[in-house]
Amino acid sequence: MSNAFRELLKKVGSGVHTGKALTREEATTATRLMLTQEATPAQIGAFMIAHRIKRPTSEELAGMLDAYDQLGPRLHPWEINHGQDTSRSVSSSPSLGVTALGTPYDGRSRTAPVTPLTALVLATAGVPVVMDGGDCMPTKYGVPLIEIWQGLGMDFSQLSVPQVQQVLERTGLGFIYLPQHFPEAHQLVSYRDQIGKRPPIATMELLWSAYRSADQRQTHHVAGYVHPPTENLFRQTCQLRLVKNFTFVKGLEGSCDLPRDRTAIITISEPSSSQGFERLLLHPSEYGLAGKEVPFESSTKLLGQYQEILLGKSNPLMPAAIWNGGFYLWRCGVCSDLTAGLTRAEDLFTSGNVAQKFKEIVDYLHKLQ
């Protein structure tokens, strides 16, 4: 048993009247003790459920992220040459550097995700993208990103971290697979099943990325959320972490996918604002892209829809791919406004440029395996 962890557990688990939030340093210590298994299984489970009931503070999330940075894998900045090949020369240089798309690790179960297509569009346009996640996991047990990538023939699961770095530098897309690249974090997954609830660590994961640059202006953190208070928590955590560029989306099932059946509520960093952020309300109907969300029925059907889109064929999922691809092209500085972003996204799909980038990544992955 870890006596140090026991004291931290007592602090968060003492109830409404006597319980206290951890400091950033204490949260770092608690997370490190869980990742290294110095805390016992009983202590880890108790901490997760107690912290879930208490709800995390921004200082605690910042401390948890610090621990992940200390113990987790790291992808490094490199010289980005946007004109090095034809697939990247289709755009101007992005203004926000590498984009980290934060997606719930327990996946999607109700609506068809388009996040991988968004990543491919951005990579095609010269915006490097980093993502992370694990296998099918609690509490949703939805389709995870790794299953989609593997179904498309893009298997990151057997690569080393240096090889992921190579793929990122060469193609503009990198994926950190927890079981292979961050086993310390992966071994905490079983506790989610046992407690039956998402612990605060699941919230923290949306803000974590293996890509880290000394210049925070060169990293663009994107994360989705469901409950409005989470957006404020994200902003405060980013302020503590000195994160300069962020985009937070009240997205589908807590993902960074913009909805089409309602107004998209988005918060973006805005240095010129006295608050440091700006809130956008985007109505898909104003751009001819409103509609019902495409349900997720099976991985097989989803992959079939992806393949059609990569071939430039229209299907029920294409409007969502254009809506999301266009927004993020605009947000990342590739296009001057949203209308131009939507036009560019549609062109990248129908012209075969995204398919070309997809083939480039698949071919390069096969060379490494």
Side-chain angles (χ1 to χ4, degrees):
M1 182 183 72
S2 170
N3 288 326
F5 191 86
R6 182 172 179 267
E7 294 305 310
L8 298 174
L9 174 57
K10 286 168 59 178
K11 191 170 181 179
V12 299
S14 294
V16 176
H17 300 294
T18 58
K20 296 180 180 179
L22 301 180
T23 66
R24 180 171 177 174
E25 293 73 20
E26 288 173 332
T28 301
T29 299
T31 306
R32 186 175 63 249
L33 292 172
M34 288 191 292
L35 290 171
T36 60
Q37 293 285 285
E38 293 178 63
T40 67
Q43 288 179 318
I44 294 172
F47 183 89
M48 284 188 174
I49 197 65
H51 207 203
R52 158 84 186 196
I53 294 170
K54 183 189 77 67
R55 301 295 181 182
T57 65
S58 56
E59 288 82 2
E60 289 173 329
L61 287 184
M64 295 164 75
L65 286 163
D66 291 344
Y68 266 55
D69 284 352
Q70 293 168 10
L71 297 177
R74 182 162 189 169
L75 299 174
H76 302 275
W78 72 99
E79 187 68 27
I80 301 175
N81 180 8
H82 298 283
Q84 70 180 34
D85 59 40
T86 55
S87 64
R88 291 192 185 185
S89 63
V90 295
S91 75
S92 59
S93 297
S95 61
L96 297 181
V98 174
T99 290
L101 294 177
T103 299
Y105 286 0
D106 56 3
R108 297 274 286 277
S109 61
R110 300 188 303 276
T111 54
V114 295
T115 316
L117 294 173
T118 300
L120 287 172
V121 166
L122 290 176
T124 304
V127 182
V129 177
V130 174
M131 309 172 78
D132 50 88
D135 296 319
C136 183
M137 67 174 68
T139 54
K140 185 181 291 184
Y141 297 101
V143 58
L145 290 173
I146 190 66
E147 183 176 322
I148 297 173
W149 290 127
Q150 289 174 331
L152 291 172
M154 298 167 60
D155 191 358
F156 294 86
S157 67
Q158 300 303 312
L159 301 182
S160 65
V161 174
Q163 287 176 319
V164 175
Q165 178 81 37
Q166 285 180 253
V167 178
L168 177 61
E169 292 184 19
R170 177 63 180 83
T171 71
L173 182 66
F175 186 84
I176 291 295
Y177 176 58
L178 295 188
Q180 173 74 1
H181 305 131
F182 198 178
E184 296 88 348
H186 176 65
Q187 53 86 25
L188 294 180
V189 172
S190 62
Y191 293 93
R192 305 183 190 205
D193 190 29
Q194 294 175 47
I195 67 176
K197 288 289 185 179
R198 281 177 172 170
I201 204 168
T203 302
M204 178 275 299
E205 289 164 347
L206 296 171
L207 295 177
W208 179 75
S209 172
Y211 178 83
R212 295 189 291 283
S213 172
D215 185 355
Q216 286 281 19
R217 293 171 297 181
Q218 295 305 309
T219 307
H220 175 211
H221 292 269
V222 180
Y225 66 91
V226 175
H227 306 294
T230 304
E231 181 263 343
N232 185 53
L233 187 64
F234 281 173
R235 283 192 289 103
Q236 292 175 348
T237 303
C238 284
Q239 185 175 16
L240 290 171
R241 297 258 297 171
L242 304 180
V243 171
K244 304 297 182 182
N245 299 318
F246 57 78
T247 300
F248 302 137
V249 178
K250 194 174 189 299
L252 297 177
E253 299 183 57
S255 74
C256 50
D257 285 355
L258 276 63
R260 292 177 53 235
D261 64 352
R262 57 179 168 84
T263 298
I265 302 173
I266 304 162
T267 301
I268 63 173
S269 51
E270 180 48 70
S272 62
S273 168
S274 60
Q275 295 179 305
F277 69 93
E278 178 183 355
R279 187 163 288 116
L280 306 177
L281 300 177
L282 301 182
H283 309 285
S285 59
E286 295 180 0
Y287 301 90
L289 290 170
K292 293 183 179 180
E293 305 300 348
V294 177
F296 173 72
E297 298 178 15
S298 70
S299 294
T300 300
K301 184 166 185 177
L302 178 69
L303 292 170
Q305 292 168 327
Y306 274 37
Q307 295 288 1
E308 289 177 345
I309 291 173
L310 290 173
L311 292 173
K313 297 181 180 179
S314 181
N315 65 22
L317 197 58
M318 178 67 95
I322 294 172
W323 178 232
N324 280 272
F327 167 76
Y328 285 107
L329 287 172
W330 167 47
R331 174 65 184 131
C332 292
V334 174
C335 298
S336 59
D337 55 50
L338 179 54
T339 299
L342 296 172
T343 300
R344 175 64 67 85
E346 183 173 11
D347 178 68
L348 290 176
F349 281 122
T350 58
S351 67
N353 279 321
V354 175
Q356 180 183 346
K357 169 59 69 174
F358 168 73
K359 184 177 184 303
E360 176 195 344
I361 301 171
V362 171
D363 289 346
Y364 194 71
L365 283 170
H366 287 170
K367 290 179 181 178
L368 294 177
Q369 294 169 351

